[in-house]
């Protein structure tokens, strides 16, 4: 199936950028540039403290709000963490789990990624699960093994019904925030591998329907090429999502 039969999802990951007042300016600017572009889903994954401001600003528009992480417990003694219900009540519909920066700097493992994904899905959130190999893993020729393992473990215990609310973002770690992008073919090949992992577990149809994004220095210049590939259904975008103009060009490329 060509990616044209699946809907592109363009998600910005603002990371630890934008105070609430700066977030209000950015989202206002983004909205002015993407309004009316209904050919893809548009999501902004913002810092927790920006969620109320951004949720209010995008109410009734095509833009949806996402968070950048979620805890697996519904509540309790987990200082510094945020639950799925808390996010939902603030207007969040999407959440990223397993971003490589969480895996690299905050001890996130395949097991905790799975727990977070399941908690978010149980609460009715759509989960963007990030997978991707390190440069050393690519150079050792084990990319396929790494992303297959990460995908399988992230989806452990996720039902077929819940899978409809899962998006997988293939993010080669060496391409994140580095300005180095995977070539269209490299990105498409790994997204295809992820699709076959999903198909092996949930069936051919589920594999075909799975939304798989590419992330890693996607920008206004390279987005159209990446998004034209059969296995790529959108992008998870860091740096370029902080510039309304560039983000809007990527949204336009996904129409
Ligand atoms: C990301 O944060 O998921 C990302 C892909 O960042 P960047 O676009 O800046 O590489």
């Amino acid at each position: 199936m060509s990616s044209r039969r699946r809907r592109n999802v363009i998600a910005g990951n603002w990371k630890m950028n934008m105070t609430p007042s700066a977030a209000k300016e950015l989202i206002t600017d983004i909205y002015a540039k993407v309004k009316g572009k209904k050919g893809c889903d548009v999501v902004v994954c913002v810092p927790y403290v920006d969620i109320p401001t951004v949720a209010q600003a995008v109410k009734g528009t095509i833009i949806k709000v996402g968070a950048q992480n979620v805890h697996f417990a519904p509540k309790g003694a987990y200082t510094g963490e945020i639950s799925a219900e808390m996010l939902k009540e603030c207007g969040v519909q999407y959440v990223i789990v397993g971003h490589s920066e969480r895996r690299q700097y905050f001890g996130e493992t395949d097991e905790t990624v799975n727990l977070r994904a399941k908690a978010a899905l149980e609460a009715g959130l759509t989960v963007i699960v990030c997978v991707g190999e390190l440069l050393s893993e690519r150079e050792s020729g084990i990319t396929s093994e790494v992303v297959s393992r990460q995908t399988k473990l992230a989806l452990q215990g996720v039902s077929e019904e819940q899978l409809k609310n899962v998006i997988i973002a293939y993010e080669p770690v060496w391409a994140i925030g580095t300005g180095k992008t995977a070539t269209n073919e490299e990105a498409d090949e790994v997204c295809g591998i992820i699709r076959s992992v999903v198909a092996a577990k949930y069936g051919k149809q589920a594999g075909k329907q799975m939304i798989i994004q590419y992330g890693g220095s996607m920008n206004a210049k390279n987005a159209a090429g990446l998004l034209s590939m059969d296995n790529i259904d959108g992008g998870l975008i860091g740096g370029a999502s902080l510039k309304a103009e560039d983000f809007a060009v990527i949204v336009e490329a996904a129409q």
Side-chain angles (χ1 to χ4, degrees), residues 6 20 33 59 62 78 94 96 110 120 147 157-158 177 221 239:
R6 293 181 293 266
K33 291 183 166 65
K59 218 173 194 168
I62 60 160
Y78 299 101
Y94 290 74
I96 298 172
D110 288 331
V147 298
V158 171
K221 287 203 177 97

Side-chain angles (χ1 to χ4, degrees), residues 99-100 130-133 169-173 176 213-216 236-237:
H99 191 280
S100 65
C130 300
V131 299
E133 81 286 5
Y170 167 54
E171 299 210 299
V173 180
I176 296 179
Q213 300 172 312
Y214 168 78
L236 182 57
I237 298 125

Side-chain angles (χ1 to χ4, degrees), residues 71-169:
H71 196 259
F72 35 83
K75 62 178 175 181
Y78 299 101
T79 304
E81 294 289 333
I82 301 279
S83 75
E85 286 303 331
M86 292 170 180
L87 295 176
K88 272 185 69 180
E89 199 171 312
C90 293
V92 167
Q93 289 175 261
Y94 290 74
V95 65
I96 298 172
V97 301
H99 191 280
S100 65
E101 286 151 15
R102 302 290 322 170
R103 294 181 193 253
Q104 203 176 341
Y105 307 132
F106 302 100
E108 202 76 66
T109 64
D110 288 331
E111 192 191 352
T112 57
V113 171
N114 173 247
L115 290 172
R116 290 179 200 275
K118 283 190 294 194
L121 289 167
E122 269 153 32
L125 294 168
T126 295
V127 177
I128 301 176
V129 178
C130 300
V131 299
E133 81 286 5
L134 303 169
L135 182 59
S136 57
E137 292 167 333
R138 175 159 283 265
E139 286 172 348
S140 310
I142 57 167
T143 297
S144 168
E145 211 175 307
V146 171
V147 298
S148 299
R149 186 203 73 227
Q150 290 175 336
T151 304
K152 274 185 214 151
L153 294 179
L155 296 178
Q156 215 161 53
V158 171
S159 70
E160 228 174 294
E161 194 52 35
Q162 288 175 323
L163 190 71
K164 294 177 185 150
N165 290 328
V166 175
I167 293 171
I168 298 176

Side-chain angles (χ1 to χ4, degrees), residues 37-52:
K37 297 194 201 301
K38 295 187 177 146
C40 70
D41 292 344
V42 181
V43 184
V44 286
C45 299
V46 305
Y48 294 132
V49 293
D50 295 343
I51 289 170

Side-chain angles (χ1 to χ4, degrees), residues 199-211:
K201 182 171 160 81
Y202 295 95
K204 217 168 157 190
Q205 194 57 23
K208 281 185 180 172
Q209 286 169 351
M210 189 76 223
I211 293 176

